[in-house]
Amino acid sequence: MRSKLQSPRIALALAGGGPMGAIYEIGALCALDEALEGLDFNRLHHYVGVSAGAFIAAALANGMTPRQLCASFIEASGDPADVFDPAWLLVPAYGEIARRAASAPVLAASALWRGVLGRRSLAHSLERLGRCLPTGLFSSEPVELRLAKAFSRPGRTNDFRQLAARLTLVATDLDSGDAAPFGQPGWDQVPISRAVRASCALPGLFPPVEIDGRHYVDGALKKTLHASVALEDGADLLLCLNPLVPFNATGRDAAAGAAPQRIAEAGMPTVLSQTLRCMIHSRMELGMKHYERAYPGSDIVLVEPDGHDAELYLANTFSYSRRAQLAEHAYQQTRAWLRSQRDALAPRLERHGIVLRSARLDAPRRLITPRPPTRIGRAVASLHDALDELGCALEAA
């Protein structure tokens, strides 16, 4: 049992979910950051990130606050060196495509030889042509280069071993199927930026990332959260964020335009999205039950979207066109969840020195964007902030 004089070990585990998952996690983190007094998201004991969550975890461990992440990733504002351009994810993998295309003539001739002269079946001969197909359509190298530059600025580091906190970014070894916990002993010599790239390498979209002669892809192929890494490290409180949940369309009014009453009516993309979400979430639910049994001394808090909320579900998982609106939605949804769970959540958090700021949670006009652009808007926002701070002070008194 940890002594009351010792600071609690608080960890954060972030799941994947593509760009939409990152947008949700940033909005949720901004809500949690302002609502939880006694919790500093840049001074946690351990960060665990998978896929898109690896990007967020690495930034937090390097001192970027949730609000700074919102400015750089959602609003494209703040320090120009930290601004994340979505166009970086859409650069074609020219090298991979060219290398595969160069092998096409030889493979085609081989397939012809085997099919015609070797008397093999046409289907068997055409299998060899599959090697001509690129393993990914887009290059993730621009993201790695930008992250390496951002993490090399004063006060930050691109070296796991130089971080004040523990950071684990999980990828999957493509050849063995094993989890690769970059940042753990024996895995910490890899630059953080490259580990992020490996953890985010979703097969089909991005080519596998080669590190020390091995190829790595998205860490979510193995597990959804990989939260056991932090629990085995002795986390007293583990906060988990999972952006992808199955959508519950039952009981909704399709005429209202919010969502179809039946998933199948929306076509193949929606069916595939729901299928993926069900598989990922069922696997995570089993993992959470295991964590509760295996680590009874740790408090585990899971934050995820409401399954009945169509706003996040109907958004394109890889879309940036509405990222400000969706981040605001995630922010407000998380605030609503905190209010609904206040009675059950407050005592669990208080055991670790964290207090819910009820005055801020109950403030009706709080937005994820700190200041409206107009002079009058800024004055009104300042007044609301002052009233919120007064409410917090009175509540503490």
Side-chain angles (χ1 to χ4, degrees), residues 299-357:
D299 281 315
I300 304 173
V301 176
L302 174 63
V303 182
E304 56 184 8
D306 181 359
H308 289 88
D309 186 355
E311 183 76 12
L312 292 172
Y313 175 73
L314 294 179
N316 186 340
T317 304
F318 294 94
S319 172
Y320 279 89
S321 60
R322 298 173 57 231
R323 60 186 186 272
Q325 178 182 343
L326 293 172
E328 179 68 45
H329 185 77
Y331 169 81
Q332 297 297 347
Q333 188 187 78
T334 304
R335 283 168 46 82
W337 178 82
L338 287 169
R339 289 193 294 268
S340 68
Q341 300 294 317
R342 178 163 28 199
D343 292 342
L345 196 58
R348 298 179 65 191
L349 295 175
E350 287 176 1
R351 288 200 290 265
H352 308 284
I354 302 171
V355 178
L356 281 170
R357 295 185 174 108

Side-chain angles (χ1 to χ4, degrees), residues 16-30:
M20 184 62 248
I23 291 170
Y24 169 82
E25 288 179 345
I26 290 174
L29 284 169
C30 285

Side-chain angles (χ1 to χ4, degrees), residues 6-22:
Q6 292 179 289
S7 299
R9 293 185 174 185
I10 302 175
L12 176 68
L14 301 174
M20 184 62 248

Side-chain angles (χ1 to χ4, degrees), residues 125-146:
S125 300
L126 292 178
E127 285 180 2
R128 297 180 61 83
L129 293 178
R131 300 181 182 183
C132 300
L133 300 177
T135 55
L137 299 177
F138 303 105
S139 173
S140 54
E141 184 177 5
V143 175
E144 179 186 353
L145 295 176
R146 295 288 181 169

Side-chain angles (χ1 to χ4, degrees), residues 189-204:
Q189 77 284 359
V190 178
I192 295 174
S193 56
R194 193 158 187 83
V196 171
R197 179 183 175 186
S199 184
C200 295
L202 183 64

Side-chain angles (χ1 to χ4, degrees), residues 24-43:
Y24 169 82
E25 288 179 345
I26 290 174
L29 284 169
C30 285
L32 293 169
D33 187 43
E34 72 172 25
L36 303 181
E37 183 177 2
L39 180 64
D40 186 342
F41 278 102
N42 296 122
R43 295 181 179 274

Side-chain angles (χ1 to χ4, degrees), residues 15-22 25 50-53 218 220 242-244 277 280 317-318:
M20 184 62 248
E25 288 179 345
V50 181
S51 193
D218 198 313
N242 173 49
L244 297 183
R277 289 166 180 264
I280 290 177
T317 304
F318 294 94

Side-chain angles (χ1 to χ4, degrees), residues 284-299:
M284 192 205 64
E285 286 181 322
L286 290 175
M288 296 299 290
K289 291 178 181 178
H290 167 71
Y291 299 151
E292 292 175 357
R293 293 193 303 268
Y295 306 96
S298 300
D299 281 315

